Amino acid sequence: MNALFSGTNMQIHANPFVFECELARTALVIIDMQRDFIEPGGFGETLGNDVSLLQAIVPATQRMLHAWREKGGLVVHTREAHRPDLADCPPSKRNRGNPSLRIGDPGPMGRILVAGESGNQIIDALAPIDGEIVIDKPGKGAFYATGLQSLLQQRAIRSLVFMGVTTEVCVQTSMREANDRGYDSLLLEDCTESYFPAFKAAALEMIRAQGAIVGWTAPSRKLLAALGD
Ligand code: C5J
């Protein structure tokens, strides 16, 4: 048996040990599943990355999202997005990366990493629906300079389940921010990806090492089983 589901309490067989949470007190947080990272012509590709690696997690991520919605769980989507005037993009961030196609420059899907541009949207397969929270974040972490913490507090959320990209950058940063704010976090291993497979493997190890020093990891099938799917 992969997991136990009794009422709203779940025990998910995760690493390094069982992750316990209550559905009504848990949010599914989907980090930056945006065209800018996943499709050709966006920010990810401007940095020289092979975006097809990230596309591979879309089916598992979509399945998890649908199962979570079926149970009525809270869903939070994030987008790495800067204001059109780039007032929230420090030069130290803009000046790194690809010097001929920087954040805010016009690219094939509109201005790179700018809110409202078509490249900045969440991919169709995972598009938010009414009632779901969408957070635009100027940093790598989902809590920095956003209203996420107060939105979670208003809903008495205590645990977070993470999916999204990229594992060692925005996902791991967000999990570390969550950890410091007192949340228990689980990362679904087959619903997160990096442009660098070795970085993903290392990030998963770092997160769950030392008795879940940042959080837990598990394959999505363990959570699906806990949801009775
Ligand atoms: C990056 C992200 N990799 N969403 N952003 O710059 O991980």
Side-chain angles (χ1 to χ4, degrees):
M1 190 176 193
N2 284 330
L4 303 172
F5 179 63
S6 70
T8 55
N9 294 314
M10 295 187 286
Q11 292 189 325
I12 297 133
H13 287 229
N15 289 306
F17 53 89
V18 171
F19 180 82
E20 296 190 47
C21 63
E22 194 185 337
L23 183 61
R25 300 278 168 263
T26 306
L28 181 66
V29 183
I30 310 172
I31 301 288
D32 300 358
M33 291 297 284
Q34 299 163 247
R35 300 183 70 202
D36 258 321
F37 294 104
I38 292 166
E39 295 184 9
F43 181 61
E45 199 181 62
T46 70
L47 300 177
N49 297 308
D50 173 6
V51 295
S52 68
L53 280 170
L54 272 50
Q55 289 162 9
I57 66 162
V58 172
T61 305
Q62 189 181 38
R63 181 163 180 219
M64 190 68 241
L65 173 59
H66 287 166
W68 193 260
R69 282 176 175 158
E70 282 276 301
K71 298 293 175 194
L74 180 67
V75 178
V76 177
H77 304 260
T78 71
R79 297 184 290 215
E80 188 171 343
H82 291 282
R83 289 169 34 168
D85 64 5
L86 301 185
D88 57 359
C89 183
S92 60
K93 180 175 184 183
R94 187 162 191 248
N95 292 338
R96 280 182 264 141
N98 178 349
S100 56
L101 205 50
R102 299 183 303 168
I103 294 169
D105 289 347
M109 294 191 289
R111 294 178 67 201
I112 301 288
L113 229 56
V114 168
E117 301 288 334
S118 86
N120 208 241
Q121 304 312 311
I122 292 168
I123 59 170
D124 288 347
L126 302 170
I129 60 173
D130 280 353
E132 295 179 349
I133 295 171
V134 181
I135 298 282
D136 278 346
K137 60 182 184 59
K140 302 303 182 191
F143 290 86
Y144 169 70
T146 72
L148 180 58
Q149 187 164 7
S150 63
L151 289 166
L152 297 177
Q153 282 170 342
Q154 283 158 21
R155 291 161 177 80
I157 295 295
R158 288 197 282 268
S159 309
L160 305 175
V161 175
F162 280 90
M163 310 197 290
V165 298
T166 61
T167 315
E168 79 283 8
V169 185
C170 289
V171 176
Q172 184 175 205
T173 304
S174 299
M175 285 186 77
R176 288 176 184 275
E177 287 182 330
N179 190 41
D180 287 345
R181 286 164 175 77
Y183 295 97
D184 282 336
S185 298
L186 170 69
L187 174 58
L188 299 180
E189 295 161 7
D190 50 330
C191 300
T192 184
E193 196 49 85
S194 169
Y195 300 118
F196 306 92
F199 290 177
K200 173 180 177 177
L204 294 177
E205 288 291 340
M206 281 186 251
I207 286 164
R208 64 194 175 211
Q210 305 176 77
I213 198 155
V214 175
W216 286 252
T217 78
S220 61
R221 68 173 189 282
K222 303 281 186 179
L223 178 53
L224 290 170
L227 291 171
D229 218 61

